[in-house]
Amino acid sequence: GAVVSQHPSRVICKSGTSVKIECRSLDFQATTMFWYRQFPKQSLMLMATSNEGSKATYEQGVEKDKFLINHASLTLSTLTVTSAHPEDSSFYICSAGQGEAGNTIYFGEGSWLTVV
Amino acid sequence: QKEVEQDPGPLSVPEGAIVSLNCTYSNSAFQYFMWYRQYSRKGPELLMYTYSSGNKEDGRFTAQVDKSSKYISLFIRDSQPSDSATYLCAMSTAAGNKLTFGGGTRVLVKP
């Protein structure tokens, strides 16, 4: 079964509103989680590394004020897309590492965001 | 040049054939190598995980890593139509670290 859970799996929102996506590690603690974005027929693009208890590390070109990441506990990280625009419509996926030193990385089921 | 190169395909094979996938990379610091399968509109599913060079077998799947050539492979034996998906190679420099992905190869297994 899934070891990393994402919610919601699909969300539609209006332009200008904010949307929160949750990523949970099931039955294990993850001090680090990762957020990716994927456009159709393209590979995953790392957006940021979410660190429990500290600020997230964003990849170059990713707006930290637009994509707010909170890693409030060892099993939960959230991604909030603020003031969403149609160009933010995409597939967002999180991952977390399980096992010794977190070396086995599992992905969530992904969240489809459509901004209208 | 991308850090990880992967032929996008599509790769079309008849049912029962061996599917051969590979990736090349440029960063010699990569130590951990993974293969993921991704169905349309779903999150990637971990298939194989390998540390450093060598071979690893799990059921119909065999993963090979040749660090001297910076080349990794995934073989799928007795392919099934349900194996039709996009296969992504991924690698990292340290355990639990961020992954660098190949672009993915789309595979189609025809009945």
Side-chain angles (χ1 to χ4, degrees), chain A residues 18-21 35 58 63-70 78-83:
Chain A
S18 296
V19 174
K20 180 184 287 187
I21 301 171
W35 286 96
Y58 289 82
E63 300 176 60
K64 59 182 66 178
D65 293 331
K66 181 165 186 61
F67 299 100
L68 301 179
I69 291 173
N70 188 321
T78 60
L79 168 68
T80 301
V81 183
T82 63
S83 186

PDB file of all heavy atoms in Angstrom, chain A residues 18-21 35 58 63-70 78-83:
ATOM      1  N   SER A  18      -6.147  30.810  -2.777  1.00  0.00           N
ATOM      2  CA  SER A  18      -5.020  29.978  -2.345  1.00  0.00           C
ATOM      3  C   SER A  18      -5.479  28.544  -2.140  1.00  0.00           C
ATOM      4  O   SER A  18      -6.627  28.297  -1.761  1.00  0.00           O
ATOM      5  CB  SER A  18      -4.425  30.514  -1.039  1.00  0.00           C
ATOM      6  OG  SER A  18      -3.872  31.790  -1.232  1.00  0.00           O
ATOM      7  N   VAL A  19      -4.591  27.628  -2.403  1.00  0.00           N
ATOM      8  CA  VAL A  19      -4.909  26.202  -2.290  1.00  0.00           C
ATOM      9  C   VAL A  19      -3.819  25.507  -1.482  1.00  0.00           C
ATOM     10  O   VAL A  19      -2.632  25.732  -1.706  1.00  0.00           O
ATOM     11  CB  VAL A  19      -4.979  25.545  -3.688  1.00  0.00           C
ATOM     12  CG1 VAL A  19      -5.172  24.048  -3.569  1.00  0.00           C
ATOM     13  CG2 VAL A  19      -6.092  26.161  -4.499  1.00  0.00           C
ATOM     14  N   LYS A  20      -4.238  24.669  -0.555  1.00  0.00           N
ATOM     15  CA  LYS A  20      -3.283  23.928   0.273  1.00  0.00           C
ATOM     16  C   LYS A  20      -3.323  22.451  -0.091  1.00  0.00           C
ATOM     17  O   LYS A  20      -4.394  21.849  -0.175  1.00  0.00           O
ATOM     18  CB  LYS A  20      -3.600  24.094   1.754  1.00  0.00           C
ATOM     19  CG  LYS A  20      -2.623  23.336   2.672  1.00  0.00           C
ATOM     20  CD  LYS A  20      -3.015  23.435   4.135  1.00  0.00           C
ATOM     21  CE  LYS A  20      -2.760  24.787   4.699  1.00  0.00           C
ATOM     22  NZ  LYS A  20      -2.991  24.830   6.167  1.00  0.00           N
ATOM     23  N   ILE A  21      -2.138  21.874  -0.266  1.00  0.00           N
ATOM     24  CA  ILE A  21      -1.997  20.442  -0.550  1.00  0.00           C
ATOM     25  C   ILE A  21      -1.212  19.817   0.591  1.00  0.00           C
ATOM     26  O   ILE A  21      -0.174  20.338   0.993  1.00  0.00           O
ATOM     27  CB  ILE A  21      -1.259  20.214  -1.882  1.00  0.00           C
ATOM     28  CG1 ILE A  21      -2.019  20.875  -3.036  1.00  0.00           C
ATOM     29  CG2 ILE A  21      -1.095  18.716  -2.151  1.00  0.00           C
ATOM     30  CD1 ILE A  21      -1.247  20.890  -4.343  1.00  0.00           C
ATOM     31  N   TRP A  35       8.942  18.447  -2.698  1.00  0.00           N
ATOM     32  CA  TRP A  35       7.793  18.823  -3.528  1.00  0.00           C
ATOM     33  C   TRP A  35       8.232  18.980  -4.973  1.00  0.00           C
ATOM     34  O   TRP A  35       9.218  19.663  -5.266  1.00  0.00           O
ATOM     35  CB  TRP A  35       7.162  20.111  -3.023  1.00  0.00           C
ATOM     36  CG  TRP A  35       6.386  19.918  -1.759  1.00  0.00           C
ATOM     37  CD1 TRP A  35       6.808  20.127  -0.480  1.00  0.00           C
ATOM     38  CD2 TRP A  35       5.038  19.455  -1.654  1.00  0.00           C
ATOM     39  NE1 TRP A  35       5.817  19.825   0.410  1.00  0.00           N
ATOM     40  CE2 TRP A  35       4.714  19.413  -0.283  1.00  0.00           C
ATOM     41  CE3 TRP A  35       4.066  19.082  -2.589  1.00  0.00           C
ATOM     42  CZ2 TRP A  35       3.467  19.002   0.171  1.00  0.00           C
ATOM     43  CZ3 TRP A  35       2.828  18.673  -2.132  1.00  0.00           C
ATOM     44  CH2 TRP A  35       2.531  18.642  -0.762  1.00  0.00           C
ATOM     45  N   TYR A  58      14.306  26.198  -1.431  1.00  0.00           N
ATOM     46  CA  TYR A  58      13.668  26.278  -2.744  1.00  0.00           C
ATOM     47  C   TYR A  58      14.706  26.176  -3.860  1.00  0.00           C
ATOM     48  O   TYR A  58      15.830  26.662  -3.740  1.00  0.00           O
ATOM     49  CB  TYR A  58      12.912  27.603  -2.873  1.00  0.00           C
ATOM     50  CG  TYR A  58      11.673  27.666  -2.013  1.00  0.00           C
ATOM     51  CD1 TYR A  58      11.749  27.999  -0.666  1.00  0.00           C
ATOM     52  CD2 TYR A  58      10.415  27.385  -2.553  1.00  0.00           C
ATOM     53  CE1 TYR A  58      10.618  28.041   0.128  1.00  0.00           C
ATOM     54  CE2 TYR A  58       9.274  27.429  -1.769  1.00  0.00           C
ATOM     55  CZ  TYR A  58       9.386  27.759  -0.428  1.00  0.00           C
ATOM     56  OH  TYR A  58       8.255  27.800   0.359  1.00  0.00           O
ATOM     57  N   GLU A  63       9.293  30.583  -6.788  1.00  0.00           N
ATOM     58  CA  GLU A  63       8.969  31.707  -5.918  1.00  0.00           C
ATOM     59  C   GLU A  63       8.532  31.217  -4.539  1.00  0.00           C
ATOM     60  O   GLU A  63       7.459  30.632  -4.373  1.00  0.00           O
ATOM     61  CB  GLU A  63       7.836  32.519  -6.542  1.00  0.00           C
ATOM     62  CG  GLU A  63       8.158  33.101  -7.912  1.00  0.00           C
ATOM     63  CD  GLU A  63       6.947  33.812  -8.489  1.00  0.00           C
ATOM     64  OE1 GLU A  63       6.476  34.767  -7.856  1.00  0.00           O
ATOM     65  OE2 GLU A  63       6.460  33.399  -9.560  1.00  0.00           O
ATOM     66  N   LYS A  64       9.327  31.498  -3.542  1.00  0.00           N
ATOM     67  CA  LYS A  64       9.021  31.020  -2.200  1.00  0.00           C
ATOM     68  C   LYS A  64       7.789  31.691  -1.604  1.00  0.00           C
ATOM     69  O   LYS A  64       7.104  31.119  -0.761  1.00  0.00           O
ATOM     70  CB  LYS A  64      10.226  31.195  -1.281  1.00  0.00           C
ATOM     71  CG  LYS A  64      10.728  32.606  -1.139  1.00  0.00           C
ATOM     72  CD  LYS A  64      11.954  32.669  -0.242  1.00  0.00           C
ATOM     73  CE  LYS A  64      13.137  31.943  -0.877  1.00  0.00           C
ATOM     74  NZ  LYS A  64      14.375  32.021  -0.056  1.00  0.00           N
ATOM     75  N   ASP A  65       7.502  32.905  -2.034  1.00  0.00           N
ATOM     76  CA  ASP A  65       6.321  33.597  -1.504  1.00  0.00           C
ATOM     77  C   ASP A  65       5.038  33.111  -2.161  1.00  0.00           C
ATOM     78  O   ASP A  65       3.949  33.323  -1.642  1.00  0.00           O
ATOM     79  CB  ASP A  65       6.452  35.105  -1.710  1.00  0.00           C
ATOM     80  CG  ASP A  65       7.571  35.701  -0.885  1.00  0.00           C
ATOM     81  OD1 ASP A  65       7.864  35.136   0.186  1.00  0.00           O
ATOM     82  OD2 ASP A  65       8.158  36.710  -1.308  1.00  0.00           O
ATOM     83  N   LYS A  66       5.198  32.479  -3.298  1.00  0.00           N
ATOM     84  CA  LYS A  66       4.020  31.965  -3.989  1.00  0.00           C
ATOM     85  C   LYS A  66       3.726  30.520  -3.575  1.00  0.00           C
ATOM     86  O   LYS A  66       2.589  30.122  -3.445  1.00  0.00           O
ATOM     87  CB  LYS A  66       4.238  32.018  -5.496  1.00  0.00           C
ATOM     88  CG  LYS A  66       3.041  31.513  -6.272  1.00  0.00           C
ATOM     89  CD  LYS A  66       3.121  31.888  -7.718  1.00  0.00           C
ATOM     90  CE  LYS A  66       1.837  31.502  -8.421  1.00  0.00           C
ATOM     91  NZ  LYS A  66       0.663  32.206  -7.861  1.00  0.00           N
ATOM     92  N   PHE A  67       4.764  29.768  -3.387  1.00  0.00           N
ATOM     93  CA  PHE A  67       4.620  28.361  -3.000  1.00  0.00           C
ATOM     94  C   PHE A  67       5.129  28.205  -1.566  1.00  0.00           C
ATOM     95  O   PHE A  67       6.305  27.963  -1.325  1.00  0.00           O
ATOM     96  CB  PHE A  67       5.400  27.463  -3.960  1.00  0.00           C
ATOM     97  CG  PHE A  67       4.932  27.548  -5.387  1.00  0.00           C
ATOM     98  CD1 PHE A  67       5.614  28.328  -6.315  1.00  0.00           C
ATOM     99  CD2 PHE A  67       3.800  26.853  -5.802  1.00  0.00           C
ATOM    100  CE1 PHE A  67       5.181  28.408  -7.631  1.00  0.00           C
ATOM    101  CE2 PHE A  67       3.358  26.927  -7.119  1.00  0.00           C
ATOM    102  CZ  PHE A  67       4.050  27.712  -8.033  1.00  0.00           C
ATOM    103  N   LEU A  68       4.197  28.346  -0.642  1.00  0.00           N
ATOM    104  CA  LEU A  68       4.552  28.294   0.778  1.00  0.00           C
ATOM    105  C   LEU A  68       4.590  26.849   1.255  1.00  0.00           C
ATOM    106  O   LEU A  68       3.646  26.094   1.057  1.00  0.00           O
ATOM    107  CB  LEU A  68       3.535  29.086   1.607  1.00  0.00           C
ATOM    108  CG  LEU A  68       3.392  30.571   1.262  1.00  0.00           C
ATOM    109  CD1 LEU A  68       2.328  31.211   2.152  1.00  0.00           C
ATOM    110  CD2 LEU A  68       4.719  31.294   1.404  1.00  0.00           C
ATOM    111  N   ILE A  69       5.685  26.496   1.891  1.00  0.00           N
ATOM    112  CA  ILE A  69       5.842  25.136   2.386  1.00  0.00           C
ATOM    113  C   ILE A  69       6.001  25.165   3.898  1.00  0.00           C
ATOM    114  O   ILE A  69       6.809  25.915   4.429  1.00  0.00           O
ATOM    115  CB  ILE A  69       7.045  24.457   1.725  1.00  0.00           C
ATOM    116  CG1 ILE A  69       6.738  24.218   0.243  1.00  0.00           C
ATOM    117  CG2 ILE A  69       7.378  23.137   2.417  1.00  0.00           C
ATOM    118  CD1 ILE A  69       7.902  23.699  -0.558  1.00  0.00           C
ATOM    119  N   ASN A  70       5.225  24.293   4.546  1.00  0.00           N
ATOM    120  CA  ASN A  70       5.282  24.173   5.993  1.00  0.00           C
ATOM    121  C   ASN A  70       5.439  22.707   6.356  1.00  0.00           C
ATOM    122  O   ASN A  70       4.642  21.877   5.951  1.00  0.00           O
ATOM    123  CB  ASN A  70       3.987  24.733   6.607  1.00  0.00           C
ATOM    124  CG  ASN A  70       4.073  24.802   8.119  1.00  0.00           C
ATOM    125  OD1 ASN A  70       4.617  23.904   8.757  1.00  0.00           O
ATOM    126  ND2 ASN A  70       3.540  25.834   8.702  1.00  0.00           N
ATOM    127  N   THR A  78       3.016  20.616   4.072  1.00  0.00           N
ATOM    128  CA  THR A  78       1.972  21.209   3.246  1.00  0.00           C
ATOM    129  C   THR A  78       2.574  22.190   2.252  1.00  0.00           C
ATOM    130  O   THR A  78       3.564  22.869   2.546  1.00  0.00           O
ATOM    131  CB  THR A  78       0.927  21.949   4.104  1.00  0.00           C
ATOM    132  OG1 THR A  78       1.573  22.989   4.833  1.00  0.00           O
ATOM    133  CG2 THR A  78       0.236  20.999   5.070  1.00  0.00           C
ATOM    134  N   LEU A  79       1.947  22.223   1.087  1.00  0.00           N
ATOM    135  CA  LEU A  79       2.305  23.171   0.040  1.00  0.00           C
ATOM    136  C   LEU A  79       1.092  24.039  -0.209  1.00  0.00           C
ATOM    137  O   LEU A  79       0.018  23.520  -0.516  1.00  0.00           O
ATOM    138  CB  LEU A  79       2.700  22.436  -1.244  1.00  0.00           C
ATOM    139  CG  LEU A  79       2.824  23.290  -2.512  1.00  0.00           C
ATOM    140  CD1 LEU A  79       4.003  24.235  -2.408  1.00  0.00           C
ATOM    141  CD2 LEU A  79       2.970  22.399  -3.748  1.00  0.00           C
ATOM    142  N   THR A  80       1.237  25.341  -0.047  1.00  0.00           N
ATOM    143  CA  THR A  80       0.143  26.268  -0.322  1.00  0.00           C
ATOM    144  C   THR A  80       0.502  27.112  -1.528  1.00  0.00           C
ATOM    145  O   THR A  80       1.532  27.806  -1.518  1.00  0.00           O
ATOM    146  CB  THR A  80      -0.124  27.181   0.890  1.00  0.00           C
ATOM    147  OG1 THR A  80      -0.448  26.380   2.027  1.00  0.00           O
ATOM    148  CG2 THR A  80      -1.285  28.116   0.594  1.00  0.00           C
ATOM    149  N   VAL A  81      -0.332  27.009  -2.543  1.00  0.00           N
ATOM    150  CA  VAL A  81      -0.170  27.839  -3.733  1.00  0.00           C
ATOM    151  C   VAL A  81      -0.982  29.103  -3.486  1.00  0.00           C
ATOM    152  O   VAL A  81      -2.218  29.050  -3.412  1.00  0.00           O
ATOM    153  CB  VAL A  81      -0.655  27.117  -5.001  1.00  0.00           C
ATOM    154  CG1 VAL A  81      -0.410  27.974  -6.236  1.00  0.00           C
ATOM    155  CG2 VAL A  81       0.037  25.766  -5.145  1.00  0.00           C
ATOM    156  N   THR A  82      -0.309  30.211  -3.334  1.00  0.00           N
ATOM    157  CA  THR A  82      -0.991  31.459  -2.992  1.00  0.00           C
ATOM    158  C   THR A  82      -1.324  32.261  -4.242  1.00  0.00           C
ATOM    159  O   THR A  82      -0.594  32.206  -5.245  1.00  0.00           O
ATOM    160  CB  THR A  82      -0.123  32.317  -2.065  1.00  0.00           C
ATOM    161  OG1 THR A  82       1.072  32.677  -2.761  1.00  0.00           O
ATOM    162  CG2 THR A  82       0.242  31.565  -0.796  1.00  0.00           C
ATOM    163  N   SER A  83      -2.440  32.977  -4.176  1.00  0.00           N
ATOM    164  CA  SER A  83      -2.884  33.808  -5.295  1.00  0.00           C
ATOM    165  C   SER A  83      -2.704  33.052  -6.615  1.00  0.00           C
ATOM    166  O   SER A  83      -1.976  33.490  -7.520  1.00  0.00           O
ATOM    167  CB  SER A  83      -2.093  35.125  -5.314  1.00  0.00           C
ATOM    168  OG  SER A  83      -2.603  35.994  -6.306  1.00  0.00           O
TER     169      SER A  83
END
